[in-house]
Amino acid sequence: VKTFHVHPAWLPVEAFRGLGSRSVLVIGPAEGTALVRQEVTQARTRFGGQLRHRPAAGPGASDPGPADVILALTSSVAWPAPLQHLRAGFPEPIGDEGYLLARRDGCTVVLADDPVGLLYGWFHLVRLGERAFGPERAVEHHRPALRRRMLQHWDNVDVHPVTGQVERGYAGGSLFWADGRARGDLDRVRAYARLLAACGINAVAVNNVNVHATEAHLLTDRIGDVAEIADRTRPFGIRTHLSVSFAAPVVLGGLSTADPLDPDVRTWWAEAVRGVYAAVPDFGGFVVKADSEGQPGPFAYRRTHAEGANLLAGALAPYGGVVHWRAFVYNHRQDWRDRRTDRARAAYDHFAPLAGQFRDNAIVQVKHGPIDFQLREPVSPVIAALPGTRVAVELQVTQEYTGQQQHVCYLASRWSEVLRFRFGAGHPSVNEVVAGGGLVGVSNAGPDPFWTGHPLAQANLYALGRLAWDPDLAPVAVLDEWIDLTFPAATDPAHAPARRVLHALLDESARTYESYTAPLGLGFMVRPGHHYGPDVDGYEYTPWGTYHFADRDGVGVDRTRATGTSFTGQYPLPWSQVYESLEHCPDELLLFFHHVPYTHVRHDGSSVIQHIYDTHFDGFEQVAVMVRQWDQPGVQALVGSAVHERVAERLQEQCRCAREWRDQVTTYFYRKSGIPDVHGRVVP
Amino acid sequence: VKTFHVHPAWLPVEAFRGLGSRSVLVIGPAEGTALVRQEVTQARTRFGGQLRHRPAAGPGASDPGPADVILALTSSVAWPAPLQHLRAGFPEPIGDEGYLLARRDGCTVVLADDPVGLLYGWFHLVRLGERAFGPERAVEHHRPALRRRMLQHWDNVDVHPVTGQVERGYAGGSLFWADGRARGDLDRVRAYARLLAACGINAVAVNNVNVHATEAHLLTDRIGDVAEIADRTRPFGIRTHLSVSFAAPVVLGGLSTADPLDPDVRTWWAEAVRGVYAAVPDFGGFVVKADSEGQPGPFAYRRTHAEGANLLAGALAPYGGVVHWRAFVYNHRQDWRDRRTDRARAAYDHFAPLAGQFRDNAIVQVKHGPIDFQLREPVSPVIAALPGTRVAVELQVTQEYTGQQQHVCYLASRWSEVLRFRFGAGHPSVNEVVAGGGLVGVSNAGPDPFWTGHPLAQANLYALGRLAWDPDLAPVAVLDEWIDLTFPAATDPAHAPARRVLHALLDESARTYESYTAPLGLGFMVRPGHHYGPDVDGYEYTPWGTYHFADRDGVGVDRTRATGTSFTGQYPLPWSQVYESLEHCPDELLLFFHHVPYTHVRHDGSSVIQHIYDTHFDGFEQVAVMVRQWDQPGVQALVGSAVHERVAERLQEQCRCAREWRDQVTTYFYRKSGIPDVHGRVVP
């Protein structure tokens, strides 16, 4: 018997105890404060607190009496006289989506210019919990570092014969679509929007970047479906975006061309966009995968990707919309025999020459690494290669290559490494780039009762939003937030041992996953097609450009300028030299940049082959430890029986699969190299 | 614009010229001769000959005048007096399905006991063509060597999410089923039955041995669909068989068990069979895949496969039906780390202890080799291991592992090797075994306009029927028959050069396919799942039990008694010694039975590694030659433009794919062995 329908994720009732048991005063117009008042009402109904409201109170308004919390919009010009002292000294304007937070005379005050800023302030208080009611606090000015904090859903409307309802979806289908239609259950979409607002997301693309026949129609005759979603997300400050086909003028419009310089094509897009905004006045914009893995694009008309992107940007500009134009363009019909062609080079080769040619509302969306969402890749050099053009970085929250929500893999530590990466003097850091262009995550959420299949994968969704709000946040701090919100008992010292188990399990999970799967920057050793579990040679002789070139003597891809594909030359100094140098290249990227003998000695003194053996055996052991730790007394009490049971099941599968990874990878390299493991553990 | 709807295969109008232009007398009752008279009428309408009929002519019947051909049933006791001299001296009885053939006084006479024998005699004349009207011929007595000559269709009623409409089907779907329903187009089924009769097939199983939920119902409430098919095949002497689920009493009957010794289960099957025969009075019987790859079976009840098979055989016996019980039972959840378990051993280990325990109408159906339809495997030792039990041998006409009807691969030469295989003194040859149990082919036909996707794959379908009629036929003679029937212009000396191209292309095709894919008995180096194209390690670390164990030093599976899995011990002498011995083991099975160093020198003096290189480069070259030869002048004139075009397209694909096989296999083994090709051809 199910004891719950949908898990509350990081907004369980208990997380609102501190706020819900206190006296809250909301100041501001009825409409602009509706949502926070609803939040307060919900919380106080449970915990016995108070809510008062002053719609547009002036100096003459009646005294509302003392309050523990004031939530106020700046548009309510004057406050009740007895509270004026709480209002003084706040800097203005606060700015879109921002809020001020202070504690004065025993009252916690949140002030915002707009309703969504007030909502973000409210969720800030939720995160603080009892800490919101401690000593005085000087005014803090909170604003998102990134204007656009986006989730993209690879959701299909029709169930696709190969990729299913959701491409790379591991959470039970789509929140928006089922079997060719919009889902009826928009309450679930509303709940999703609330969760996203609570972590800072403000944009959602509702369909797959691979736009198939049915999904193309969302742009025109099925825009009503999008409007219904937008109606549910709008109150939470979330704009709706749509993936569209570059060939839409042909496919939907019956034109003979989709040439971006053709006047009829321009007119068609202008008209299509007009229709979209008629249905969705605050529509966010388009996402486009063009000339990539079979999707149509401007190359068919000998136009550049800037010309393609600017076509759509031009149509969207009058309405304030943007186009996210993906830089994931490469030859997916490569010949594995050809070692000079390098997929890692492709995005840079295509896009770097176009720097500065994109309109201001065209955002080039770049995957974090040069290949495709592998756990360990260098940061994509494209991110630094487009001065004068807005660049968004794309991360994969859905765990296509990182365990598919069967394995625990808290990704924020890797994301944070990417975001903090500094390209070198004269070049912006990734943080600075995304401040201008935004952060995008491919969503891992679906109608699964735990939202994300693996309950602990919620932490990745949460972290994506939080890092998009502030890319400088420490991933471990975000993890702490997520734990304490999701499992409020964790703040109780009695639960400290269980909390430590949970924390360690997540905090070390990405390192663990990396150690039993892909050593030293080797990637794509997964089963072709579904990408789950090991197959060392699975992609070695395919057209996909993802090779490791292991032979009996050595392994790795020579991407140096000296003897390889010259990919290292796409980086500014010092990285172009660091990666080029076998001596200085970081160990964790050694085989990404260099082909070395198995006997090559790494910085820590061990050989490449022994490192492969050691990490894989250690990684599996670590998973076995995770399984045991999860069964320690207290963990179930902390997380609840439903979460405990689901995680326990998946840990079993992770353990089984980690053993496969360990043994297939080590046996593969033993059979090739003939070099025995010094500890004699490898199956021959 | 299509210029034809369905290709006539080996029964084009032109093949009937000789018979259709002559005077034919049919003697026998109206009903029993209806089909041959229809055949004669069809032919003579086109070519201007004559047909006369004497329903039950006696000595007093009017003189029909001279005839070039007489087709007569023995049941018409006496012939018209003037023809009595043509009737004398025929031995009787002729026997089921048999016929006598002679040429006397310028008249060709065919005599049979039953209508289908007469039909077979008619098609014999079609095969002879003008040769039927040459010099006198002494009486020839033709009878099928095998009583049951069967095609099994792996056709699903519903389109299966993984395997589609037809499991391992490459001919455009199913002739019987489409999208969950019986096909309306039963004319096509009739045409199929006529083609099958013309090559000797007399039994067809109409659904997949993997019986899914919908298909299970064919046994009961959907038996009417089967009856409609049977109505179309019956006139051609073809009985209909059905694959059923061993769990049918549970799944369909609502019983709590399918235990073969349970009285209620027996009763349920008896009742089910009664219903089947009420709908299809000449129903052939059941096909069962039990305890195999997830299908239910007697193991669940701790019963033997003899007990399982006898349950169904007992239910079918009162009606003359048979059960084909597959011996394809093995552990498909094997651990690749475990080298002692050997899938090749499984069928023998399961079935040999049951010799003689099966009822007479229970036929144990054994795949030709111990693994699974690889082009090169030793003959399955199970075939010799069941004295006192009927054994049918199962061949795969559909080209799952042999190019999927994209590649030309005439399989009859391999089949003939299997059929002629002699197990040794005191043991029957395969021919002798199947004479008691029958031959089964998994059909390669579908609604494709050429029936088989690749037009030249028709030759395999034809050959299966002919070898089932007479396993001693030379495959090259069958090929000649097929060419001359299918392309009647081939008998014209003007077309001799083109005929030589076509003949050579087919005759050498299996050797060619073997040479660019699987050297020395290595199998299963295919892409997992669909099984098309190369992936040397694709199955190496899976649970399927199909490994090659290649490492940097050597390759192959040690199946010896001395140091390996002891599979060689399942063979009688001399094979148990021949295969055991590295010295005497035939080269083409070397790596099936032995793990050897790459430097091992074969009987022809070349090393294993150089042999791998040489065969793969030669095999590809051979395909390139095929492509060029197909474009030689005259080939299109011989085969027609539609066949020429389709074959040309597929040869291009075969050439592309053969290059992939060549390069992936040679590079794989070069990277592992480090031993260079003496001709320097291998991509590193």
Side-chain angles (χ1 to χ4, degrees):
Chain A
V1 180
K2 269 197 196 169
T3 55
F4 70 99
H5 291 292
V6 177
H7 186 263
W10 48 88
L11 294 179
V13 172
E14 194 60 31
F16 295 85
R17 176 179 292 276
L19 286 160
S21 58
R22 286 183 165 80
S23 150
V24 180
L25 171 64
V26 174
I27 302 174
E31 201 182 339
T33 60
L35 205 58
V36 286
R37 284 185 291 118
Q38 200 175 320
E39 288 282 331
V40 176
T41 302
Q42 204 171 305
R44 90 169 182 78
T45 307
R46 177 72 181 73
F47 296 106
Q50 275 195 311
L51 166 65
R52 279 156 301 147
H53 177 216
R54 290 293 176 275
S62 65
D63 181 2
D68 299 316
V69 182
I70 295 176
L71 300 163
L73 285 172
T74 51
S75 54
S76 34
V77 181
W79 284 22
L83 302 177
Q84 285 296 345
H85 66 289
L86 294 172
R87 174 75 172 85
F90 283 113
E92 294 194 27
I94 302 168
D96 287 354
E97 303 184 310
Y99 55 92
L100 302 174
L101 173 65
R103 183 159 171 85
R104 300 170 166 183
D105 294 341
C107 178
T108 302
V109 180
V110 171
L111 195 65
D113 286 345
D114 50 37
V116 71
L118 200 62
L119 187 69
Y120 288 141
W122 163 259
F123 285 124
H124 191 127
L125 297 185
V126 176
R127 279 195 297 278
L128 289 175
E130 278 304 315
R131 286 171 296 155
F133 307 102
E136 302 281 286
R137 275 174 183 260
V139 177
E140 300 166 13
H141 191 169
H142 294 276
R143 277 169 300 193
L146 277 57
R147 178 162 161 208
R148 207 161 282 98
R149 308 173 301 277
M150 189 170 191
L151 284 173
Q152 294 181 357
H153 282 257
W154 289 356
D155 296 13
N156 300 313
V157 177
D158 283 336
V159 176
H160 187 269
V162 175
T163 60
Q165 185 76 65
V166 177
E167 184 162 339
R168 313 304 176 185
Y170 316 104
S174 166
L175 286 160
F176 308 122
W177 319 101
D179 291 327
R181 311 164 134 252
R183 268 189 186 275
D185 183 8
L186 289 168
D187 287 352
R188 190 73 192 262
V189 172
R190 186 187 188 280
Y192 183 52
R194 180 170 175 254
L195 283 172
L196 298 190
C199 66
I201 294 295
N202 73 349
V204 166
V206 298
N207 66 308
N208 190 357
V209 290
N210 289 312
V211 180
H212 309 294
T214 297
E215 292 75 9
H217 287 268
L218 293 174
L219 175 62
T220 52
D221 46 305
R222 293 182 72 163
I223 188 67
D225 289 345
V226 180
E228 293 207 0
I229 295 168
D231 288 346
R232 295 313 189 286
T233 67
R234 183 176 298 114
F236 296 95
I238 296 171
R239 287 189 176 198
T240 304
H241 295 241
L242 197 58
S243 295
V244 298
S245 168
F246 189 77
V250 176
V251 174
L252 302 173
L255 300 192
S256 60
T257 179
D259 182 348
L261 301 193
D262 183 284
D264 290 344
V265 171
R266 261 172 215 279
T267 305
W268 190 89
W269 277 109
E271 192 53 29
V273 168
R274 199 188 56 73
V276 168
Y277 278 89
V280 187
D282 62 342
F283 180 71
F286 296 145
V287 182
V288 183
K289 176 177 181 176
D291 290 319
S292 174
E293 300 180 340
Q295 294 293 308
F299 284 166
Y301 309 100
R302 301 176 183 277
R303 309 300 182 194
T304 70
H305 275 246
E307 288 168 323
N310 289 342
L311 166 71
L312 302 193
L316 289 160
Y319 307 90
V322 296
V323 58
H324 283 82
W325 189 271
R326 291 175 99 230
F328 186 56
V329 178
Y330 70 100
N331 174 14
H332 69 290
R333 303 229 184 276
Q334 191 176 326
D335 189 337
W336 59 267
R337 300 163 189 81
D338 164 22
R339 292 212 191 185
R340 283 171 312 176
T341 301
D342 182 2
R343 172 167 166 181
R345 294 184 53 107
Y348 184 100
D349 286 344
H350 285 300
F351 281 84
L354 305 178
Q357 295 182 25
F358 292 85
R359 292 184 63 132
D360 194 50
N361 66 328
I363 299 166
V364 176
Q365 179 173 319
V366 182
K367 292 191 181 189
H368 68 80
I371 302 287
D372 187 15
F373 295 141
Q374 303 303 289
L375 185 57
R376 180 68 62 179
E377 297 185 41
V379 172
S380 170
V382 179
I383 297 170
L386 293 169
T389 291
R390 290 187 190 276
V391 171
V393 168
E394 182 178 348
L395 305 170
Q396 199 180 37
V397 190
T398 194
Q399 292 172 235
E400 176 177 1
Y401 297 101
T402 51
Q404 303 195 351
Q405 283 131 264
Q406 296 288 332
H407 299 225
V408 188
C409 192
Y410 179 58
L411 292 162
S413 47
R414 283 291 299 126
W415 297 340
S416 181
E417 286 182 61
V418 170
L419 291 166
R420 292 166 187 230
F421 185 80
R422 308 197 69 82
F423 278 98
H427 294 275
S429 70
V430 176
N431 271 354
E432 288 159 3
V433 172
V434 297
L439 195 65
V440 169
V442 182
S443 180
N444 66 347
D448 173 75
F450 296 96
W451 297 95
T452 52
H454 200 307
L456 304 186
Q458 291 175 5
N460 286 327
L461 187 60
Y462 181 80
L464 191 282
R466 295 291 290 140
L467 287 175
W469 180 279
D470 179 1
D472 287 324
L473 282 176
V476 73
V478 174
L479 176 58
D480 280 328
E481 278 181 20
W482 178 79
I483 289 175
D484 291 341
L485 283 171
T486 305
F487 309 108
T491 55
D492 178 345
H495 288 287
R499 190 188 190 286
R500 274 195 297 275
V501 165
L502 179 63
H503 187 277
L505 191 145
L506 278 155
D507 189 31
E508 290 162 20
S509 59
R511 271 190 302 279
T512 298
Y513 188 84
E514 184 174 3
S515 66
Y516 64 76
T517 58
L520 304 168
L522 280 188
F524 258 96
M525 301 194 303
V526 290
R527 283 265 146 198
H530 58 61
H531 297 168
Y532 186 74
D535 186 350
V536 180
D537 267 4
Y539 276 97
E540 190 60 16
Y541 301 96
T542 72
W544 294 96
T546 49
Y547 315 118
H548 53 62
F549 299 122
D551 61 23
R552 75 192 325 249
D553 302 315
V555 58
V557 189
D558 184 351
R559 291 188 159 111
T560 64
R561 299 189 290 291
T563 54
T565 69
S566 297
F567 170 65
T568 58
Q570 294 186 344
Y571 288 87
L573 286 171
W575 296 106
S576 60
Q577 286 183 350
V578 169
Y579 293 144
E580 177 80 8
S581 154
L582 189 53
E583 189 189 343
H584 295 110
C585 183
D587 278 345
E588 71 267 18
L589 290 170
L590 178 65
L591 303 181
F592 192 95
F593 285 106
H594 298 274
H595 186 93
V596 301
Y598 294 114
T599 52
H600 174 83
V601 176
R602 299 161 47 260
H603 294 126
D604 73 359
S606 78
S607 68
V608 162
I609 188 72
Q610 191 57 43
H611 174 84
I612 291 174
Y613 298 151
D614 288 344
T615 49
H616 283 76
F617 279 89
D618 291 351
F620 169 77
E621 278 310 316
Q622 189 57 33
V623 177
V625 167
M626 287 158 67
V627 171
R628 288 197 297 276
Q629 286 184 329
W630 192 252
D631 277 337
Q632 280 187 9
V635 174
Q636 181 174 328
L638 173 62
V639 302
S641 60
V643 168
H644 189 267
E645 187 183 341
R646 173 75 73 97
V647 172
E649 284 167 18
R650 304 228 161 175
L651 281 172
Q652 288 296 338
E653 164 56 19
Q654 181 173 0
C655 197
R656 183 206 64 75
C657 190
R659 180 167 171 266
E660 278 303 313
W661 272 102
R662 179 194 74 183
D663 288 346
Q664 290 196 29
V665 171
T666 56
T667 296
Y668 177 95
F669 284 107
Y670 173 67
R671 287 190 187 175
K672 267 211 158 127
S673 71
I675 300 172
D677 169 32
V678 296
H679 304 296
R681 297 161 296 186
V682 178
V683 175
Chain B
V1 181
K2 269 198 197 171
T3 55
F4 69 99
H5 292 293
V6 177
H7 187 264
W10 49 87
L11 293 179
V13 172
E14 193 60 32
F16 295 84
R17 175 179 292 278
L19 287 159
S21 57
R22 286 184 166 81
S23 151
V24 179
L25 172 63
V26 174
I27 302 175
E31 201 182 340
T33 62
L35 205 58
V36 286
R37 283 186 291 116
Q38 199 174 319
E39 288 282 330
V40 176
T41 302
Q42 202 171 302
R44 96 174 175 74
T45 306
R46 176 72 181 75
F47 296 108
Q50 276 194 311
L51 165 65
R52 279 156 301 148
H53 178 216
R54 290 293 177 275
S62 65
D63 180 1
D68 299 316
V69 182
I70 294 175
L71 300 162
L73 285 172
T74 52
S75 55
S76 32
V77 180
W79 284 23
L83 303 177
Q84 285 295 349
H85 64 292
L86 294 172
R87 174 74 171 87
F90 282 112
E92 294 192 25
I94 303 168
D96 286 354
E97 303 184 310
Y99 56 92
L100 302 173
L101 173 67
R103 184 157 170 87
R104 299 170 167 181
D105 295 343
C107 179
T108 303
V109 180
V110 171
L111 195 65
D113 287 344
D114 52 35
V116 71
L118 199 62
L119 187 68
Y120 287 142
W122 162 259
F123 284 124
H124 191 130
L125 298 184
V126 177
R127 279 196 296 277
L128 288 175
E130 277 305 315
R131 286 170 295 155
F133 307 103
E136 301 282 284
R137 276 174 183 260
V139 177
E140 301 166 10
H141 191 168
H142 294 276
R143 277 170 300 194
L146 276 58
R147 177 160 163 211
R148 204 159 283 100
R149 309 174 299 279
M150 189 171 192
L151 285 173
Q152 293 180 358
H153 282 258
W154 289 356
D155 296 13
N156 301 314
V157 177
D158 284 335
V159 176
H160 187 269
V162 175
T163 61
Q165 185 76 67
V166 177
E167 184 162 339
R168 313 303 177 186
Y170 316 105
S174 167
L175 285 160
F176 308 123
W177 319 101
D179 292 327
R181 309 163 137 256
R183 267 188 186 278
D185 184 7
L186 289 168
D187 287 352
R188 189 75 192 260
V189 172
R190 186 187 187 281
Y192 182 53
R194 181 170 174 254
L195 283 172
L196 297 190
C199 67
I201 294 294
N202 73 348
V204 167
V206 298
N207 66 309
N208 190 357
V209 291
N210 289 313
V211 180
H212 307 295
T214 297
E215 293 75 9
H217 287 268
L218 293 174
L219 174 63
T220 52
D221 47 306
R222 294 184 70 162
I223 188 67
D225 290 344
V226 180
E228 293 207 1
I229 295 168
D231 288 345
R232 296 311 188 287
T233 68
R234 183 177 298 112
F236 296 95
I238 296 171
R239 287 190 176 195
T240 303
H241 296 241
L242 196 59
S243 296
V244 297
S245 167
F246 190 76
V250 176
V251 173
L252 302 173
L255 300 192
S256 61
T257 179
D259 182 348
L261 302 193
D262 183 285
D264 290 345
V265 171
R266 262 173 216 278
T267 305
W268 189 88
W269 277 109
E271 192 54 27
V273 168
R274 199 190 56 72
V276 168
Y277 278 90
V280 188
D282 62 342
F283 180 71
F286 296 143
V287 182
V288 183
K289 176 177 182 177
D291 290 319
S292 173
E293 299 179 341
Q295 294 292 309
F299 283 166
Y301 309 100
R302 301 175 182 278
R303 308 300 183 195
T304 70
H305 275 248
E307 289 168 322
N310 290 343
L311 166 71
L312 303 193
L316 289 160
Y319 307 91
V322 297
V323 58
H324 283 82
W325 188 271
R326 293 175 98 228
F328 185 57
V329 178
Y330 70 101
N331 174 13
H332 69 290
R333 304 231 184 274
Q334 191 177 326
D335 189 336
W336 59 266
R337 300 163 189 82
D338 164 23
R339 291 210 190 187
R340 283 172 310 178
T341 301
D342 181 2
R343 171 166 165 180
R345 294 183 53 106
Y348 185 100
D349 286 343
H350 284 298
F351 280 85
L354 305 177
Q357 296 181 25
F358 291 85
R359 291 185 65 131
D360 194 51
N361 66 328
I363 299 166
V364 176
Q365 179 173 316
V366 182
K367 291 192 181 189
H368 68 81
I371 302 288
D372 188 15
F373 295 141
Q374 303 304 289
L375 185 57
R376 182 66 64 179
E377 297 184 41
V379 172
S380 170
V382 179
I383 297 171
L386 293 169
T389 291
R390 289 187 190 276
V391 171
V393 168
E394 181 177 348
L395 305 170
Q396 198 180 38
V397 190
T398 194
Q399 294 172 235
E400 176 177 0
Y401 297 101
T402 52
Q404 303 196 350
Q405 281 129 266
Q406 297 288 333
H407 298 226
V408 189
C409 192
Y410 179 59
L411 292 163
S413 46
R414 283 291 299 125
W415 296 340
S416 181
E417 285 181 61
V418 170
L419 291 166
R420 292 165 188 233
F421 184 80
R422 308 196 71 83
F423 278 98
H427 293 277
S429 70
V430 176
N431 271 354
E432 288 159 4
V433 172
V434 297
L439 195 65
V440 169
V442 182
S443 180
N444 66 347
D448 173 75
F450 296 96
W451 297 94
T452 51
H454 199 307
L456 304 186
Q458 289 176 6
N460 286 327
L461 187 59
Y462 181 81
L464 191 281
R466 296 291 292 140
L467 287 175
W469 181 278
D470 179 0
D472 287 324
L473 283 176
V476 74
V478 175
L479 176 58
D480 281 327
E481 279 181 18
W482 177 78
I483 289 174
D484 292 341
L485 284 171
T486 306
F487 309 109
T491 55
D492 178 343
H495 287 288
R499 189 189 190 288
R500 275 196 296 276
V501 166
L502 178 62
H503 187 277
L505 191 144
L506 278 154
D507 188 32
E508 290 162 21
S509 59
R511 272 190 301 278
T512 299
Y513 188 84
E514 184 174 3
S515 67
Y516 64 77
T517 56
L520 305 169
L522 280 189
F524 259 94
M525 302 194 302
V526 290
R527 282 267 146 198
H530 58 61
H531 298 167
Y532 185 74
D535 186 349
V536 180
D537 267 4
Y539 276 98
E540 191 60 15
Y541 302 96
T542 71
W544 294 97
T546 49
Y547 315 118
H548 53 62
F549 299 122
D551 61 24
R552 75 191 324 247
D553 301 315
V555 58
V557 188
D558 184 351
R559 292 187 159 111
T560 64
R561 300 189 289 292
T563 53
T565 70
S566 297
F567 170 65
T568 59
Q570 294 186 345
Y571 288 87
L573 285 172
W575 297 106
S576 59
Q577 287 183 349
V578 168
Y579 293 145
E580 176 81 8
S581 153
L582 188 53
E583 189 188 344
H584 295 109
C585 183
D587 277 345
E588 72 268 16
L589 290 170
L590 178 65
L591 303 181
F592 192 94
F593 284 107
H594 298 275
H595 186 92
V596 302
Y598 294 112
T599 52
H600 174 83
V601 176
R602 298 160 48 260
H603 293 126
D604 73 359
S606 78
S607 68
V608 163
I609 189 71
Q610 191 58 43
H611 174 84
I612 291 174
Y613 298 151
D614 289 344
T615 50
H616 283 76
F617 279 89
D618 291 352
F620 171 77
E621 277 310 315
Q622 189 57 32
V623 177
V625 168
M626 287 158 66
V627 171
R628 289 197 296 277
Q629 286 184 329
W630 192 252
D631 277 336
Q632 278 187 10
V635 174
Q636 182 175 328
L638 173 62
V639 302
S641 60
V643 167
H644 189 267
E645 188 184 340
R646 174 75 74 99
V647 173
E649 284 166 17
R650 303 226 163 178
L651 281 172
Q652 289 296 339
E653 165 56 18
Q654 181 174 1
C655 198
R656 183 205 65 75
C657 190
R659 181 165 170 267
E660 279 302 315
W661 272 101
R662 180 194 74 183
D663 289 344
Q664 290 196 30
V665 171
T666 56
T667 296
Y668 177 95
F669 285 107
Y670 173 66
R671 287 189 187 175
K672 266 211 159 128
S673 71
I675 300 171
D677 169 32
V678 296
H679 304 296
R681 298 162 294 186
V682 177
V683 175

